[in-house]
């Protein structure tokens, strides 16, 4: 498995009686953009912390470039970079001082630094804020600075915990541009997100729910794998419509999508049937259309099939 | 394994943060001087100008001589004259005076007759310390007065007399005791408080999580954080002693290098202790409070700074053996006042080294680059 940058096997973490992550196993190829998707509390942060070597697993292991993060985390650390969900840099240091500090910690050769800084500034547009305290940057700028500090030592594996959480759309786009550029250069990226539209940009996605992987594949295959008929129903009172359909025979899941309801029907169920049911229930739909499954639909279906109740649907 | 570059990076980062935090800057640079001035002027065991009321029922020449002897000593000042002993009680009770000197009507007669003549000194024992000192001053004054009377008109020396000379602090200035002790007390507090924030703050703010994911060695973090505070501590000690010399005329008789070495060790120990607290608590508030209580009270009460250790109950004497300031105080007093060095103070010097090792050891043993909870 020479092209595996990360091999996770049986990784578990308990906090007392609570199982935060249960028996995780997957491989991430070199240069792959790998997404861990799931709602809050699914175990994304715990997983990334273990991969970053800052949280010892209860059992199982992960090999990063062949080095065990459970047994030799310090040997794995020079090869990885980890960006925590919460801003982990120093508010009372300037942009430049933070970058210099991380360059020192990773022992980036002095001679290489000007070129690397220039490149990072080019990516992030942080150059003009070089002397500004990190605490005075906007949320998006902070994330770009975090990412820059992670990239200063050219890591093999980049671990990002919800890197775009709370970031404005423009900065989100900038961040994704940087990530795609990194992947193009052969960096392996493992990122967590609760935004399904971001998950769709990943090469492969692991869908995490209550500490376990529900499914793992490319977004396209995950979407194609959704059998049955998916309908988008527009209706004045979506909550009432969902209530009327949920639990009926042939309805695999019914979930709110903004002001519409996505209903997944078992294969063979008459697609006209939901409209009739809704009319009878006093919530007539304004339109019913078949739609292609999004990752969110897939996730909701998987959760429904795993026997758990989706926690009010995932983020749009 | 350890990299100087990384250690230096941590030290530099810590210094930059310190410089931009007014609270830390005040703690590091203003507190020691403020404490010195406060304690230097407030704490004094010297008793002067004891206020006396006088009831002189004799009023002969000799009684006036005795009063003069009291006044002239500089320790007593007669602020009131009372016609009789009737009001004595009220004067003392209302604390107008600290003592009342009563010379009975028979004073001159008894003296002339060669009988022992008694005078009475009533002292307010509410402040036992002052009363004790006043009593010993009075004893000395009366003894000298008696000797003069006995010797008057005779060519004879006292057959034997003890001549007491106080070394190292000839005028028994308590400031000379206070200032060197203060250096130890102040540095115990400041050092532990300074570092008590440093690790807890990183856990609280979330910066430790990212720092922990880098290859920085945990000892590089500990030592790197130590460096700026150590320099500040040494600077503080120098300034505090300098100010003590300038403002309170405290002498510096010994070897600055020995004091410097002992101070370095003491600071490493105290700073390490602060980091240990910081790494254990992981909360800035808890850590500062613990550092404050854990260092201030022992350093103040069990170091021999205010209370003589030899006269404490056994249990406290044993506890005091664990108070590093106790040994450091002996060093500062020894070097400043007595001018003694390692040949005399080697035990204390050694304890400083042990303290440094324990402080650093505790910090290194408790700080891990791992999220616990």
């Amino acid at each position: 498995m020479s092209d595996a940058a990360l091999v996770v096997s049986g990784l578990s973490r308990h906090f007392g009686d609570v199982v935060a992550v249960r028996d995780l196993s997957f491989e991430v190829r070199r240069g792959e953009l790998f997404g861990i998707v799931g709602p809050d509390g699914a175990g994304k942060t715990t997983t990334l912390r273990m991969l970053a070597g800052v949280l010892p697993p209860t059992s199982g292991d992960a090999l990063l470039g062949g080095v065990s993060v459970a047994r030799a985390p310090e040997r794995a650390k020079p090869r990885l970079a980890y960006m925590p969900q919460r801003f982990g840099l120093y508010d009372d240091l300037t942009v430049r001082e933070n970058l210099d500090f991380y360059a020192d910690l990773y022992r980036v050769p002095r001679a290489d630094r000007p070129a690397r800084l220039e490149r990072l500034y080019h990516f992030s547009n942080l150059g003009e804020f070089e002397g500004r305290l990190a605490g005075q940057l906007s949320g998006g700028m902070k994330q770009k600075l975090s990412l820059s500090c992670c990239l200063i030592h050219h890591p093999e594996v980049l671990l990002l915990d919800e890197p775009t959480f709370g970031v404005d759309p423009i900065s989100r786009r900038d961040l994704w541009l940087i990530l795609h550029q990194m992947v193009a250069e052969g960096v392996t990226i493992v990122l967590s997100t609760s935004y399904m539209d971001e998950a769709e940009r990943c090469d492969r996605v692991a869908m995490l729910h209550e500490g376990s992987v529900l499914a793992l594949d490319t977004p396209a295959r995950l979407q194609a794998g959704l059998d049955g008929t998916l309908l988008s129903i527009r209706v004045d009172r979506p909550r009432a419509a969902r209530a009327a359909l949920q639990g009926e025979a042939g309805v695999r899941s019914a979930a709110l999508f903004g002001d519409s309801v996505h209903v997944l029907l078992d294969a063979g169920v008459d697609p006209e049937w939901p409209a009739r049911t809704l009319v009878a229930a006093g919530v007539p739909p304004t339109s019913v259309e078949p739609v292609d499954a999004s990752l969110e639909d897939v996730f909701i279906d998987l959760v429904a099939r795993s026997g758990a109740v989706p926690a009010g649907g995932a983020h749009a | 394994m350890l990299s100087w570059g990384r250690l230096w990076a941590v030290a530099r980062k810590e210094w930059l943060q310190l410089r931009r935090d007014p609270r830390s800057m005040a703690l590091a640079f203003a507190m020691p001087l403020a404490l010195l001035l406060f304690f230097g002027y407030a704490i004094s065991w010297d008793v002067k100008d004891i206020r006396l009321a006088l009831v002189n029922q004799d009023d002969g020449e000799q009684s006036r001589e005795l009063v003069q002897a009291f006044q002239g000593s500089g320790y007593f000042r007669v602020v009131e004259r009372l016609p009789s002993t009737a009001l004595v009680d009220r004067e003392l009770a209302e604390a107008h005076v600290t003592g009342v000197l009563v010379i009975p009507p028979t004073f001159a007669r008894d003296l002339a007759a060669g009988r022992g003549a008694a005078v009475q000194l009533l002292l307010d024992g509410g402040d036992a310390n002052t009363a004790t000192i006043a009593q010993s001053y009075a004893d000395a004054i009366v003894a000298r007065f008696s000797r003069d009377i006995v010797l008057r008109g005779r060519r004879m020396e006292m057959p034997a007399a003890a001549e007491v000379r106080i070394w190292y602090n000839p005028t028994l200035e308590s400031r000379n005791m206070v200032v060197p002790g203060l250096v130890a007390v102040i540095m115990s507090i400041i050092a532990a408080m300074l570092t008590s924030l440093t690790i807890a703050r990183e856990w609280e703010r979330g910066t430790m999580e990212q720092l922990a994911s880098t290859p920085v060695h945990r000892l590089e973090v500990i030592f790197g954080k130590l460096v700026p505070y150590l320099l500040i501590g040494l600077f503080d000690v120098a300034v505090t002693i300098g100010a003590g010399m300038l403002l309170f005329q405290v002498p510096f008789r010994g070897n600055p290098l020995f004091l410097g070495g002992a101070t370095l060790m003491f600071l490493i120990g105290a700073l390490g202790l602060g980091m240990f607290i910081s790494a254990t608590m992981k909360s800035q508030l808890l850590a500062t409070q613990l550092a404050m209580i854990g260092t201030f009270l022992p350093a103040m009460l069990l170091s021999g700074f205010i209370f003589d250790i030899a006269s404490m109950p056994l249990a406290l004497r044993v506890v005091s053996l664990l108070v590093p300031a106790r040994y450091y105080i002996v060093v500062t007093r020894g070097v400043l006042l007595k001018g003694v060095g390692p040949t005399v103070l080697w035990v204390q010097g050694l304890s400083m080294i042990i303290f440094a090792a324990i402080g650093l050891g505790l910090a290194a043993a408790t700080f891990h680059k791992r999220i616990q909870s």
Side-chain angles (χ1 to χ4, degrees):
Chain A
M1 279 300 179
S2 64
D3 67 337
L6 185 67
V7 181
V8 181
S9 48
L11 198 66
S12 301
R13 174 71 207 200
H14 303 191
F15 295 106
D17 292 339
V18 181
V19 183
V21 172
R22 193 193 312 267
D23 198 23
L24 233 57
S25 297
F26 57 86
E27 286 185 16
V28 181
R29 284 187 297 274
R30 211 170 288 285
E32 190 173 19
L33 177 51
F34 189 91
I36 299 176
V37 190
D40 291 347
K44 302 189 299 287
T45 295
T46 305
T47 303
L48 283 167
R49 281 177 168 171
M50 288 193 283
L51 297 181
V54 295
L55 182 73
T58 308
S59 60
D61 201 351
L63 298 180
L64 199 145
V67 181
S68 157
V69 294
R71 279 175 283 117
E74 298 308 311
R75 270 185 36 229
K77 284 173 184 176
R79 320 169 76 153
L80 63 85
Y82 167 55
M83 182 169 148
Q85 185 179 356
R86 184 175 164 199
F87 185 61
L89 299 178
Y90 299 93
D91 279 342
D92 41 3
L93 259 53
T94 65
V95 167
R96 180 61 190 270
E97 286 162 353
N98 272 302
L99 283 164
D100 283 343
F101 180 54
Y102 275 86
D104 285 336
L105 292 184
Y106 286 105
R107 306 186 71 180
V108 176
R110 298 242 160 229
D112 295 355
R113 290 190 191 185
R116 291 193 188 192
L117 273 180
E118 196 185 331
R119 208 170 104 90
L120 290 171
Y121 284 158
H122 173 73
F123 275 144
S124 62
N125 297 316
L126 277 167
E128 55 182 306
F129 303 111
E130 196 180 61
R132 184 178 290 194
L133 293 180
Q136 290 166 6
L137 295 174
S138 69
M141 281 292 184
K142 277 188 179 178
Q143 292 305 84
K144 284 192 227 171
L145 176 58
S146 286
L147 189 55
S148 299
C149 284
C150 284
L151 294 173
I152 191 106
H153 67 292
H154 293 176
E156 295 167 31
V157 176
L158 192 53
L159 305 168
L160 309 170
D161 192 3
E162 304 209 26
T164 57
F165 184 77
V167 169
D168 66 275
I170 306 287
S171 295
R172 261 176 87 178
R173 203 192 55 198
D174 288 352
L175 279 167
W176 274 97
L177 284 174
I178 302 174
L179 295 186
H180 284 304
Q181 174 71 32
M182 287 300 120
V183 168
E185 290 175 17
V187 176
T188 308
I189 298 180
V190 178
L191 66 83
S192 73
T193 181
S194 50
Y195 301 115
M196 294 292 168
D197 61 324
E198 291 194 345
E200 281 167 25
R201 302 189 192 193
C202 296
D203 294 329
R204 283 192 305 150
V205 170
M207 292 194 153
L208 202 62
H209 182 68
E210 292 180 347
S212 302
V213 174
L214 295 177
L216 194 164
D217 215 326
T218 62
R221 272 200 292 239
L222 284 171
Q223 286 158 341
L226 189 74
D227 55 344
T229 316
L230 185 68
L231 301 174
S232 174
I233 302 175
R234 288 193 162 274
V235 63
D236 286 339
R237 292 186 289 139
R239 283 176 191 282
R242 186 181 65 160
L245 293 171
Q246 206 161 36
E248 293 292 315
V251 175
R252 212 149 71 216
S253 67
L256 298 175
F257 265 66
D259 54 0
S260 62
V261 181
H262 279 200
V263 177
L264 182 64
L265 300 174
D266 282 330
V269 174
D270 177 10
E272 304 293 323
W273 168 80
R276 290 197 301 270
T277 310
L278 287 176
V279 170
V283 270
T286 47
S287 73
V288 178
E289 289 166 20
V291 287
D292 289 335
S294 68
L295 278 182
E296 190 164 354
D297 297 309
V298 176
F299 188 84
I300 289 163
D301 180 44
L302 287 169
V303 171
R305 277 206 259 183
S306 75
V309 180
H315 297 269
Chain B
M1 258 316 266
L2 292 190
S3 139
W4 287 109
R6 281 200 294 249
L7 196 156
W8 182 245
V10 175
R12 185 168 165 276
K13 178 224 96 177
E14 202 69 22
W15 168 248
L16 286 172
Q17 288 190 292
L18 184 76
R19 216 180 60 191
R20 289 177 190 149
D21 177 23
R23 230 185 58 151
S24 295
M25 284 302 273
L27 186 65
F29 293 107
M31 270 288 264
L33 266 187
L35 286 174
L36 177 77
L37 294 180
F38 177 73
F39 284 116
Y41 284 112
I43 299 186
S44 167
W45 296 285
D46 300 338
V47 180
K48 282 177 184 160
D49 287 330
I50 301 163
R51 294 158 64 84
L52 276 189
L54 176 67
V55 184
N56 192 348
Q57 294 165 324
D58 176 274
D59 214 29
E61 190 191 335
Q62 278 168 321
S63 70
R64 284 199 298 274
E65 264 177 48
L66 180 63
V67 173
Q68 195 50 50
F70 268 86
Q71 296 251 54
S73 70
Y75 298 116
F76 295 94
R77 193 152 53 87
V78 175
V79 293
E80 218 171 338
R81 285 165 192 277
L82 303 174
S84 77
T85 51
L87 291 169
V88 162
D89 210 20
R90 204 195 67 201
E91 288 295 307
L92 281 176
E94 292 179 6
H96 295 145
V97 294
T98 310
V100 182
L101 181 64
V102 183
I103 304 176
T106 56
F107 183 70
R109 218 165 44 230
D110 287 345
L111 279 181
R115 288 192 295 266
V119 291
Q120 187 181 33
L121 181 64
L122 297 160
L123 286 169
D124 177 357
D127 180 350
N129 195 30
T130 305
T132 313
I133 293 168
Q135 185 193 349
S136 58
Y137 287 151
D139 281 346
I141 292 164
V142 173
R144 192 187 175 86
F145 177 79
S146 314
R147 194 187 61 182
D148 286 351
I149 297 217
V150 171
L151 294 180
R152 194 168 290 167
R154 300 190 197 170
R155 292 180 57 81
M156 184 187 158
E157 293 292 314
M158 284 290 277
E163 276 198 36
V164 179
R165 285 178 67 191
I166 313 284
W167 278 17
Y168 309 126
N169 187 8
T171 49
L172 282 178
E173 286 280 345
S174 66
R175 269 173 194 163
N176 282 353
M177 296 284 289
V178 170
V179 173
L182 261 182
V183 175
V185 173
I186 291 173
M187 289 329 292
S188 299
I189 305 167
I190 302 282
M193 294 257 299
L194 278 174
T195 42
S196 71
L197 292 174
T198 169
I199 290 173
R201 183 173 50 209
E202 297 228 22
W203 283 118
E204 262 183 25
R205 291 191 187 169
T207 53
M208 193 59 92
E209 189 171 344
Q210 185 145 14
L211 186 64
S213 75
T214 73
V216 71
H217 195 282
R218 59 198 190 87
L219 292 182
E220 289 162 355
V221 176
I222 297 273
F223 286 120
K225 281 174 177 287
L226 191 70
V227 169
Y229 296 110
L230 196 56
L231 294 177
I232 289 172
L234 287 172
F235 175 82
D236 281 347
V237 170
V239 167
T240 312
I241 291 178
M245 293 166 70
L246 234 87
L247 297 173
F248 302 116
Q249 284 77 47
V250 173
F252 196 130
R253 300 201 171 93
N255 181 352
L257 269 183
F258 174 65
L259 183 63
T263 301
L264 188 74
M265 291 297 131
F266 178 72
L267 286 174
I268 290 176
L271 292 167
L273 204 63
M275 269 198 257
F276 161 64
I277 293 171
S278 197
T280 317
M281 293 290 111
K282 291 194 174 180
S283 137
Q284 292 187 73
L285 187 69
L286 279 179
T288 11
Q289 286 178 342
L290 195 68
M292 184 78 189
I293 295 166
T295 56
F296 177 75
L297 292 181
M300 199 74 181
L301 304 177
L302 295 177
S303 66
F305 171 55
I306 295 180
F307 304 111
D308 184 25
I309 293 173
S311 47
M312 286 177 190
L314 181 66
L316 283 183
R317 284 212 303 275
V318 172
V319 175
S320 82
L321 290 174
L322 299 173
V323 178
R326 170 193 171 144
Y327 306 97
Y328 184 55
I329 274 191
V330 178
V331 174
T332 51
R333 282 182 179 162
V335 172
L336 292 179
L337 302 181
K338 301 185 191 173
V340 292
T343 42
V344 176
L345 298 172
W346 64 272
V347 174
Q348 282 76 17
L350 206 62
S351 348
M352 289 299 95
I353 293 174
I354 294 171
F355 177 46
I358 290 176
L360 271 187
L362 282 175
T366 45
F367 171 63
H368 295 286
K369 291 168 61 189
R370 302 217 140 173
I371 297 169
Q372 236 75 54
S373 52

